[in-house]
Every structure is written in C-alpha cells, then in structure tokens.
Amino acid sequence: MEVNEPRAKYLSSHELQPTEIGPLPMDWSVSTVGDEFHVQLGKMLDTENNVGVPKPFLGNRAVQWGRVDVSDIGEIRMSPSDLQRYRLANGDLLVCEGGEVGRSAIWRDQLEECYYQKALHRLRAKRGYSHDLMAAVLEQFARSGKLQNYVTQTSIAHLPKEKFVALPIPMPATKDEQRWISQAIGDADALIDSLEQLLAKKRQIKQGAMQELLTGKRRLPGFDGGWTMAKIAALESRGILELSRGKVISKKSIAGNPGEYPIYSSSVHNNGLFGCYGSFMFDEELITWSVDGGGDFFHRPRHKFSVTNVCGYMRVREGISCKFLAMQLQQQHSTKSFDYQTKAHPSVVRAEYSVQLPELSEQTAIAQVLSDMDADIAATEARLSKARDLKQAMAQALLTGRVRLV
C-alpha cells in the first residue's frame, strides 16, 4: 500500500527479519552507539580543581527534547586542554546522562562559544550516521522504555558511557533513507514547535486580557458603570455567597461511604474537576480552591461529595457570576495580590479577601469573553496533543522500517 503526500511517498514493508531490537527490514542492520559515534562526557564541575578562564557551559537542564535552552547557561573555569576537549561544534548531538536519560538535542551554534558539563554525553558520528536520526531513535527508545535496560538506577537514573555505547540502534539501508526518515520526523517536530509557540502566544494574550478585564482597566463595549470593592466576608453576611472549608477525610470514611466522592486539591484544576471517583452530573454552581492555587470554577456534582481539608468551596447564591468570581480569584492568586502573611495554607481563599465587582451583566460578558479564550486554548492544546501522538506513531513506524520512505 502506498500513501502519497506532497513531500514524501510511503511504502509499507512486509519482509522483516528478527533482531535484538525487534523486527527490521531485510536490508537494514543493527549497529551500536559506540560503533557509530564518538561518545564523550562533559567537564566535571569541581570548584576546587577547575582553573583557567571562565567560559559558558550547558548543564543537563538546558537540553530538552529537540532544543537547547541557552537561557539556562552557567559559567565554569576551563584550562587550555579543556577548551579543546569540551568545546561544542555545530551539529553535535547532546544526550542527557542523568535525570530523564536519553533526552537529546542538536547544538546549532546558538552561542558563538560554549562548552558542556559531565551530566551530558556529546556524540559525533564516526562514519556518517545521521545525528538527526540518532536523536529521533533516542526519543523513540525513551518513550517506549527500551532505554531502561541500559540505565543505572540509584537515587537518580543515569546512562553511563559504558552502557550507552553498547546500545543497539537500527541502521537503515542507505544514507539517503536515513536522511529521508530524519526529514519526515523533523517536519513533524516543526509542526509541533509551531503549535507550541501558538499555544504560548494564546496563553499570554489570555493572561493579558484577564489582567485588564478583571480589574476594569479595559471595558467591554456598552459597559461604563462603576465597580464596587467587596470583601468575601461582607458578601457572605449579605447572603450572596456561602464560604466553607473542607474536612479531614480518612480512607476508612471513604470506604464506609461508597456513594460519597472526595474532592482533593489535585482534583481542582484549569476551571474543571478531575481526578475524583465516579462520573458527575452537573447542576449547582460552585467555586473551589485548594492549597495549590485559588479560584477554580466548576459545577457541583449531583452526587454527594465531600471537600477535603486542603480544599474549600464557595457556593454562589445570587447577584454574582460564578465564573467571573472564580476567574478574578485565579487572577489575584497568580499575581499574589492577596495577603499571603499566614503560614498555614496561604493560598486558601479567606473571608477577608476583597474582590472587584461590576454589574452582573458585565460580569457575565467578561466571563464569556475569557471562557471563549479558554475554549480556543483548549482546542489548540488538543491539536498539539494530536500532533504529538501522530509524530510518535509515525516515528515508531519509520524507525522500525514498517513503513519505508521511497
């Protein structure tokens, strides 16, 4: 079966041979990292013994999947021999030795001069194996768990050089096929990168809109009335809302009340409810909060529920948009404009907190605008998730030769 696309032609492969890394095409072979690459760990960070001139260096955290974060740069003293041994060259493949082992990226001369530390392996091809292909293989092996047999597990996982060089890797039949596979996976990575940038931009725009709309700095068309400042306690005393804290819930009490669903701090997130037991039908509006953050909105489940002691809830009675109030509490927590002086659970909403309230119609309009932004962000997140899943499936097919590029 063939599938034609503008930039590639795919052909399913039926003739496969068994290998130590799984079935591969008959004309492919298996090599090892050590046979294909010069592998070298970086400079040891030893303050007492490091001498020479200070130079910028990359640590483990700077190497992310497919990119190098040059904002996370340190400085280390390097001797003349160090300068020659550990200097990065354009195209070097950097692989994390510790932490998330195998996480890799290619150095693209993001800085004029840079070095690297011991928590990273540097790979340079001996006989032309594609660095881009090797990065794709490492990501696929890491995602599928194939690297685990080569990891030394102490308090932190490590990929020692002696095990890394023994790692078997697929060897496509020709250099051209290596390049085609790398290019196809690279195109998928470019799509993912563009969606990540779009998502970051939309989140930034939404955050700016929250800062302006939820404080009255910018008004929606048709609204010009005044805003009032009110404390949560005052709103509660007027019967507009009900403020309540959760209770301690033991495993024994959960087992004894199978129809009651506990809501933990981890269950409240992103304007929704997740991580709780059972399925929920929604009716009455509530705002919940937890020690992890403030002002998450959801509808109360019809099922009986209990809010745990690290959470709380606010039931809105009348005169206030629940969504607007939840968003304003979220915004104030994100900017830390509340009083954070208490030591215990500083992010839990307290009765003395103050909120700004326009007329109900303006509250509803603002909440709708921000909810539409949330929906747009969620749609982009879904596209990004789908692109990542498709990329992984495509990489699995191409790197095992089940699908060939011709």
PDB file of all heavy atoms in Angstrom, residues 345-372:
ATOM      1  N   HIS A 345      -1.489  27.103  54.768  1.00  0.00           N
ATOM      2  CA  HIS A 345      -2.297  27.171  53.551  1.00  0.00           C
ATOM      3  C   HIS A 345      -2.481  28.612  53.060  1.00  0.00           C
ATOM      4  O   HIS A 345      -3.590  29.128  53.024  1.00  0.00           O
ATOM      5  CB  HIS A 345      -3.670  26.536  53.777  1.00  0.00           C
ATOM      6  CG  HIS A 345      -3.590  25.133  54.277  1.00  0.00           C
ATOM      7  ND1 HIS A 345      -2.639  24.245  53.843  1.00  0.00           N
ATOM      8  CD2 HIS A 345      -4.353  24.463  55.172  1.00  0.00           C
ATOM      9  CE1 HIS A 345      -2.809  23.072  54.443  1.00  0.00           C
ATOM     10  NE2 HIS A 345      -3.829  23.182  55.260  1.00  0.00           N
ATOM     11  N   PRO A 346      -1.411  29.299  52.693  1.00  0.00           N
ATOM     12  CA  PRO A 346      -1.523  30.714  52.341  1.00  0.00           C
ATOM     13  C   PRO A 346      -2.368  31.001  51.119  1.00  0.00           C
ATOM     14  O   PRO A 346      -2.835  32.114  50.936  1.00  0.00           O
ATOM     15  CB  PRO A 346      -0.059  31.121  52.085  1.00  0.00           C
ATOM     16  CG  PRO A 346       0.619  29.846  51.705  1.00  0.00           C
ATOM     17  CD  PRO A 346      -0.043  28.779  52.522  1.00  0.00           C
ATOM     18  N   SER A 347      -2.573  29.997  50.260  1.00  0.00           N
ATOM     19  CA  SER A 347      -3.329  30.286  49.044  1.00  0.00           C
ATOM     20  C   SER A 347      -4.810  29.959  49.169  1.00  0.00           C
ATOM     21  O   SER A 347      -5.553  30.083  48.210  1.00  0.00           O
ATOM     22  CB  SER A 347      -2.732  29.504  47.859  1.00  0.00           C
ATOM     23  OG  SER A 347      -2.868  28.123  48.065  1.00  0.00           O
ATOM     24  N   VAL A 348      -5.248  29.518  50.334  1.00  0.00           N
ATOM     25  CA  VAL A 348      -6.668  29.248  50.515  1.00  0.00           C
ATOM     26  C   VAL A 348      -7.425  30.563  50.652  1.00  0.00           C
ATOM     27  O   VAL A 348      -7.011  31.476  51.351  1.00  0.00           O
ATOM     28  CB  VAL A 348      -6.898  28.370  51.765  1.00  0.00           C
ATOM     29  CG1 VAL A 348      -8.379  28.247  52.074  1.00  0.00           C
ATOM     30  CG2 VAL A 348      -6.296  26.994  51.536  1.00  0.00           C
ATOM     31  N   VAL A 349      -8.539  30.668  49.942  1.00  0.00           N
ATOM     32  CA  VAL A 349      -9.329  31.889  49.972  1.00  0.00           C
ATOM     33  C   VAL A 349      -9.831  32.131  51.392  1.00  0.00           C
ATOM     34  O   VAL A 349     -10.371  31.237  52.027  1.00  0.00           O
ATOM     35  CB  VAL A 349     -10.521  31.788  49.011  1.00  0.00           C
ATOM     36  CG1 VAL A 349     -11.386  33.018  49.093  1.00  0.00           C
ATOM     37  CG2 VAL A 349     -10.024  31.578  47.588  1.00  0.00           C
ATOM     38  N   ARG A 350      -9.653  33.345  51.873  1.00  0.00           N
ATOM     39  CA  ARG A 350     -10.088  33.675  53.227  1.00  0.00           C
ATOM     40  C   ARG A 350     -11.161  34.751  53.174  1.00  0.00           C
ATOM     41  O   ARG A 350     -11.285  35.493  52.192  1.00  0.00           O
ATOM     42  CB  ARG A 350      -8.898  34.133  54.071  1.00  0.00           C
ATOM     43  CG  ARG A 350      -7.834  33.058  54.242  1.00  0.00           C
ATOM     44  CD  ARG A 350      -6.827  33.452  55.317  1.00  0.00           C
ATOM     45  NE  ARG A 350      -6.064  34.623  54.949  1.00  0.00           N
ATOM     46  CZ  ARG A 350      -4.970  34.607  54.209  1.00  0.00           C
ATOM     47  NH1 ARG A 350      -4.524  33.471  53.732  1.00  0.00           N
ATOM     48  NH2 ARG A 350      -4.311  35.702  53.921  1.00  0.00           N
ATOM     49  N   ALA A 351     -11.903  34.875  54.256  1.00  0.00           N
ATOM     50  CA  ALA A 351     -13.060  35.757  54.278  1.00  0.00           C
ATOM     51  C   ALA A 351     -12.676  37.222  54.097  1.00  0.00           C
ATOM     52  O   ALA A 351     -13.481  38.025  53.617  1.00  0.00           O
ATOM     53  CB  ALA A 351     -13.835  35.568  55.580  1.00  0.00           C
ATOM     54  N   GLU A 352     -11.438  37.584  54.472  1.00  0.00           N
ATOM     55  CA  GLU A 352     -11.056  38.997  54.380  1.00  0.00           C
ATOM     56  C   GLU A 352     -10.573  39.399  52.989  1.00  0.00           C
ATOM     57  O   GLU A 352     -10.265  40.572  52.757  1.00  0.00           O
ATOM     58  CB  GLU A 352      -9.970  39.324  55.408  1.00  0.00           C
ATOM     59  CG  GLU A 352      -8.643  38.625  55.210  1.00  0.00           C
ATOM     60  CD  GLU A 352      -8.564  37.299  55.969  1.00  0.00           C
ATOM     61  OE1 GLU A 352      -9.627  36.723  56.269  1.00  0.00           O
ATOM     62  OE2 GLU A 352      -7.431  36.856  56.256  1.00  0.00           O
ATOM     63  N   TYR A 353     -10.499  38.471  52.051  1.00  0.00           N
ATOM     64  CA  TYR A 353     -10.111  38.827  50.697  1.00  0.00           C
ATOM     65  C   TYR A 353     -11.155  39.765  50.090  1.00  0.00           C
ATOM     66  O   TYR A 353     -12.341  39.635  50.328  1.00  0.00           O
ATOM     67  CB  TYR A 353     -10.006  37.589  49.810  1.00  0.00           C
ATOM     68  CG  TYR A 353      -8.773  36.743  50.066  1.00  0.00           C
ATOM     69  CD1 TYR A 353      -8.633  35.514  49.460  1.00  0.00           C
ATOM     70  CD2 TYR A 353      -7.760  37.180  50.898  1.00  0.00           C
ATOM     71  CE1 TYR A 353      -7.509  34.725  49.676  1.00  0.00           C
ATOM     72  CE2 TYR A 353      -6.648  36.412  51.130  1.00  0.00           C
ATOM     73  CZ  TYR A 353      -6.521  35.187  50.520  1.00  0.00           C
ATOM     74  OH  TYR A 353      -5.419  34.420  50.735  1.00  0.00           O
ATOM     75  N   SER A 354     -10.672  40.680  49.244  1.00  0.00           N
ATOM     76  CA  SER A 354     -11.563  41.628  48.575  1.00  0.00           C
ATOM     77  C   SER A 354     -11.600  41.325  47.081  1.00  0.00           C
ATOM     78  O   SER A 354     -10.592  40.932  46.487  1.00  0.00           O
ATOM     79  CB  SER A 354     -11.090  43.066  48.795  1.00  0.00           C
ATOM     80  OG  SER A 354     -11.192  43.416  50.170  1.00  0.00           O
ATOM     81  N   VAL A 355     -12.763  41.528  46.479  1.00  0.00           N
ATOM     82  CA  VAL A 355     -12.925  41.338  45.043  1.00  0.00           C
ATOM     83  C   VAL A 355     -13.608  42.564  44.449  1.00  0.00           C
ATOM     84  O   VAL A 355     -14.321  43.293  45.149  1.00  0.00           O
ATOM     85  CB  VAL A 355     -13.761  40.076  44.731  1.00  0.00           C
ATOM     86  CG1 VAL A 355     -12.987  38.826  45.110  1.00  0.00           C
ATOM     87  CG2 VAL A 355     -15.100  40.106  45.454  1.00  0.00           C
ATOM     88  N   GLN A 356     -13.363  42.802  43.152  1.00  0.00           N
ATOM     89  CA  GLN A 356     -13.974  43.924  42.446  1.00  0.00           C
ATOM     90  C   GLN A 356     -15.133  43.419  41.598  1.00  0.00           C
ATOM     91  O   GLN A 356     -14.977  42.466  40.847  1.00  0.00           O
ATOM     92  CB  GLN A 356     -12.947  44.613  41.545  1.00  0.00           C
ATOM     93  CG  GLN A 356     -11.720  45.154  42.285  1.00  0.00           C
ATOM     94  CD  GLN A 356     -10.745  45.792  41.325  1.00  0.00           C
ATOM     95  OE1 GLN A 356     -11.020  46.850  40.753  1.00  0.00           O
ATOM     96  NE2 GLN A 356      -9.602  45.162  41.129  1.00  0.00           N
ATOM     97  N   LEU A 357     -16.281  44.075  41.738  1.00  0.00           N
ATOM     98  CA  LEU A 357     -17.483  43.576  41.080  1.00  0.00           C
ATOM     99  C   LEU A 357     -18.184  44.669  40.285  1.00  0.00           C
ATOM    100  O   LEU A 357     -18.630  45.674  40.850  1.00  0.00           O
ATOM    101  CB  LEU A 357     -18.455  43.020  42.121  1.00  0.00           C
ATOM    102  CG  LEU A 357     -17.941  41.862  42.984  1.00  0.00           C
ATOM    103  CD1 LEU A 357     -18.947  41.552  44.075  1.00  0.00           C
ATOM    104  CD2 LEU A 357     -17.666  40.643  42.122  1.00  0.00           C
ATOM    105  N   PRO A 358     -18.306  44.486  38.960  1.00  0.00           N
ATOM    106  CA  PRO A 358     -19.177  45.367  38.163  1.00  0.00           C
ATOM    107  C   PRO A 358     -20.607  44.840  38.243  1.00  0.00           C
ATOM    108  O   PRO A 358     -20.897  43.902  38.998  1.00  0.00           O
ATOM    109  CB  PRO A 358     -18.611  45.229  36.757  1.00  0.00           C
ATOM    110  CG  PRO A 358     -18.074  43.830  36.725  1.00  0.00           C
ATOM    111  CD  PRO A 358     -17.585  43.527  38.124  1.00  0.00           C
ATOM    112  N   GLU A 359     -21.491  45.405  37.451  1.00  0.00           N
ATOM    113  CA  GLU A 359     -22.853  44.881  37.383  1.00  0.00           C
ATOM    114  C   GLU A 359     -22.833  43.446  36.847  1.00  0.00           C
ATOM    115  O   GLU A 359     -21.924  43.056  36.126  1.00  0.00           O
ATOM    116  CB  GLU A 359     -23.711  45.753  36.464  1.00  0.00           C
ATOM    117  CG  GLU A 359     -23.971  47.155  37.002  1.00  0.00           C
ATOM    118  CD  GLU A 359     -24.824  47.135  38.269  1.00  0.00           C
ATOM    119  OE1 GLU A 359     -25.692  46.239  38.380  1.00  0.00           O
ATOM    120  OE2 GLU A 359     -24.617  47.995  39.140  1.00  0.00           O
ATOM    121  N   LEU A 360     -23.864  42.680  37.218  1.00  0.00           N
ATOM    122  CA  LEU A 360     -23.905  41.270  36.856  1.00  0.00           C
ATOM    123  C   LEU A 360     -23.790  41.064  35.348  1.00  0.00           C
ATOM    124  O   LEU A 360     -23.117  40.132  34.890  1.00  0.00           O
ATOM    125  CB  LEU A 360     -25.198  40.633  37.383  1.00  0.00           C
ATOM    126  CG  LEU A 360     -25.399  39.146  37.067  1.00  0.00           C
ATOM    127  CD1 LEU A 360     -24.252  38.317  37.623  1.00  0.00           C
ATOM    128  CD2 LEU A 360     -26.739  38.665  37.609  1.00  0.00           C
ATOM    129  N   SER A 361     -24.432  41.911  34.556  1.00  0.00           N
ATOM    130  CA  SER A 361     -24.383  41.741  33.100  1.00  0.00           C
ATOM    131  C   SER A 361     -22.953  41.889  32.574  1.00  0.00           C
ATOM    132  O   SER A 361     -22.545  41.171  31.654  1.00  0.00           O
ATOM    133  CB  SER A 361     -25.297  42.762  32.417  1.00  0.00           C
ATOM    134  OG  SER A 361     -24.930  44.088  32.774  1.00  0.00           O
ATOM    135  N   GLU A 362     -22.183  42.819  33.169  1.00  0.00           N
ATOM    136  CA  GLU A 362     -20.796  42.979  32.736  1.00  0.00           C
ATOM    137  C   GLU A 362     -19.946  41.810  33.221  1.00  0.00           C
ATOM    138  O   GLU A 362     -19.051  41.349  32.499  1.00  0.00           O
ATOM    139  CB  GLU A 362     -20.222  44.301  33.246  1.00  0.00           C
ATOM    140  CG  GLU A 362     -18.830  44.596  32.688  1.00  0.00           C
ATOM    141  CD  GLU A 362     -18.320  45.987  33.028  1.00  0.00           C
ATOM    142  OE1 GLU A 362     -19.039  46.745  33.727  1.00  0.00           O
ATOM    143  OE2 GLU A 362     -17.206  46.315  32.594  1.00  0.00           O
ATOM    144  N   GLN A 363     -20.220  41.326  34.429  1.00  0.00           N
ATOM    145  CA  GLN A 363     -19.529  40.131  34.913  1.00  0.00           C
ATOM    146  C   GLN A 363     -19.714  38.973  33.933  1.00  0.00           C
ATOM    147  O   GLN A 363     -18.760  38.296  33.552  1.00  0.00           O
ATOM    148  CB  GLN A 363     -20.072  39.712  36.282  1.00  0.00           C
ATOM    149  CG  GLN A 363     -19.796  40.659  37.415  1.00  0.00           C
ATOM    150  CD  GLN A 363     -20.408  40.146  38.714  1.00  0.00           C
ATOM    151  OE1 GLN A 363     -20.423  38.950  38.966  1.00  0.00           O
ATOM    152  NE2 GLN A 363     -20.905  41.050  39.538  1.00  0.00           N
ATOM    153  N   THR A 364     -20.966  38.774  33.530  1.00  0.00           N
ATOM    154  CA  THR A 364     -21.289  37.664  32.626  1.00  0.00           C
ATOM    155  C   THR A 364     -20.596  37.834  31.280  1.00  0.00           C
ATOM    156  O   THR A 364     -20.070  36.864  30.706  1.00  0.00           O
ATOM    157  CB  THR A 364     -22.810  37.583  32.424  1.00  0.00           C
ATOM    158  OG1 THR A 364     -23.456  37.437  33.698  1.00  0.00           O
ATOM    159  CG2 THR A 364     -23.176  36.407  31.540  1.00  0.00           C
ATOM    160  N   ALA A 365     -20.570  39.069  30.770  1.00  0.00           N
ATOM    161  CA  ALA A 365     -19.935  39.321  29.469  1.00  0.00           C
ATOM    162  C   ALA A 365     -18.429  39.080  29.539  1.00  0.00           C
ATOM    163  O   ALA A 365     -17.839  38.473  28.625  1.00  0.00           O
ATOM    164  CB  ALA A 365     -20.231  40.751  29.024  1.00  0.00           C
ATOM    165  N   ILE A 366     -17.791  39.549  30.615  1.00  0.00           N
ATOM    166  CA  ILE A 366     -16.347  39.337  30.773  1.00  0.00           C
ATOM    167  C   ILE A 366     -16.043  37.856  30.886  1.00  0.00           C
ATOM    168  O   ILE A 366     -15.110  37.335  30.252  1.00  0.00           O
ATOM    169  CB  ILE A 366     -15.833  40.096  32.015  1.00  0.00           C
ATOM    170  CG1 ILE A 366     -15.901  41.612  31.780  1.00  0.00           C
ATOM    171  CG2 ILE A 366     -14.396  39.678  32.344  1.00  0.00           C
ATOM    172  CD1 ILE A 366     -15.596  42.440  33.008  1.00  0.00           C
ATOM    173  N   ALA A 367     -16.828  37.151  31.702  1.00  0.00           N
ATOM    174  CA  ALA A 367     -16.616  35.712  31.868  1.00  0.00           C
ATOM    175  C   ALA A 367     -16.756  34.981  30.546  1.00  0.00           C
ATOM    176  O   ALA A 367     -16.017  34.027  30.259  1.00  0.00           O
ATOM    177  CB  ALA A 367     -17.590  35.156  32.896  1.00  0.00           C
ATOM    178  N   GLN A 368     -17.682  35.421  29.694  1.00  0.00           N
ATOM    179  CA  GLN A 368     -17.893  34.767  28.405  1.00  0.00           C
ATOM    180  C   GLN A 368     -16.700  34.982  27.484  1.00  0.00           C
ATOM    181  O   GLN A 368     -16.256  34.052  26.795  1.00  0.00           O
ATOM    182  CB  GLN A 368     -19.164  35.296  27.745  1.00  0.00           C
ATOM    183  CG  GLN A 368     -19.532  34.563  26.459  1.00  0.00           C
ATOM    184  CD  GLN A 368     -19.784  33.093  26.701  1.00  0.00           C
ATOM    185  OE1 GLN A 368     -20.611  32.724  27.532  1.00  0.00           O
ATOM    186  NE2 GLN A 368     -19.072  32.227  25.984  1.00  0.00           N
ATOM    187  N   VAL A 369     -16.177  36.217  27.466  1.00  0.00           N
ATOM    188  CA  VAL A 369     -15.006  36.505  26.629  1.00  0.00           C
ATOM    189  C   VAL A 369     -13.832  35.625  27.037  1.00  0.00           C
ATOM    190  O   VAL A 369     -13.168  34.999  26.196  1.00  0.00           O
ATOM    191  CB  VAL A 369     -14.625  37.992  26.730  1.00  0.00           C
ATOM    192  CG1 VAL A 369     -13.254  38.234  26.088  1.00  0.00           C
ATOM    193  CG2 VAL A 369     -15.668  38.860  26.050  1.00  0.00           C
ATOM    194  N   LEU A 370     -13.569  35.542  28.339  1.00  0.00           N
ATOM    195  CA  LEU A 370     -12.443  34.758  28.814  1.00  0.00           C
ATOM    196  C   LEU A 370     -12.691  33.263  28.642  1.00  0.00           C
ATOM    197  O   LEU A 370     -11.760  32.496  28.373  1.00  0.00           O
ATOM    198  CB  LEU A 370     -12.155  35.098  30.282  1.00  0.00           C
ATOM    199  CG  LEU A 370     -11.723  36.544  30.530  1.00  0.00           C
ATOM    200  CD1 LEU A 370     -11.540  36.810  32.015  1.00  0.00           C
ATOM    201  CD2 LEU A 370     -10.421  36.858  29.785  1.00  0.00           C
ATOM    202  N   SER A 371     -13.950  32.845  28.775  1.00  0.00           N
ATOM    203  CA  SER A 371     -14.276  31.433  28.548  1.00  0.00           C
ATOM    204  C   SER A 371     -14.060  31.056  27.084  1.00  0.00           C
ATOM    205  O   SER A 371     -13.601  29.949  26.777  1.00  0.00           O
ATOM    206  CB  SER A 371     -15.724  31.145  28.941  1.00  0.00           C
ATOM    207  OG  SER A 371     -15.909  31.285  30.341  1.00  0.00           O
ATOM    208  N   ASP A 372     -14.399  31.979  26.164  1.00  0.00           N
ATOM    209  CA  ASP A 372     -14.154  31.725  24.740  1.00  0.00           C
ATOM    210  C   ASP A 372     -12.652  31.575  24.477  1.00  0.00           C
ATOM    211  O   ASP A 372     -12.230  30.741  23.665  1.00  0.00           O
ATOM    212  CB  ASP A 372     -14.728  32.859  23.895  1.00  0.00           C
ATOM    213  CG  ASP A 372     -16.248  32.857  23.875  1.00  0.00           C
ATOM    214  OD1 ASP A 372     -16.851  31.846  24.267  1.00  0.00           O
ATOM    215  OD2 ASP A 372     -16.834  33.885  23.482  1.00  0.00           O
TER     216      ASP A 372
END
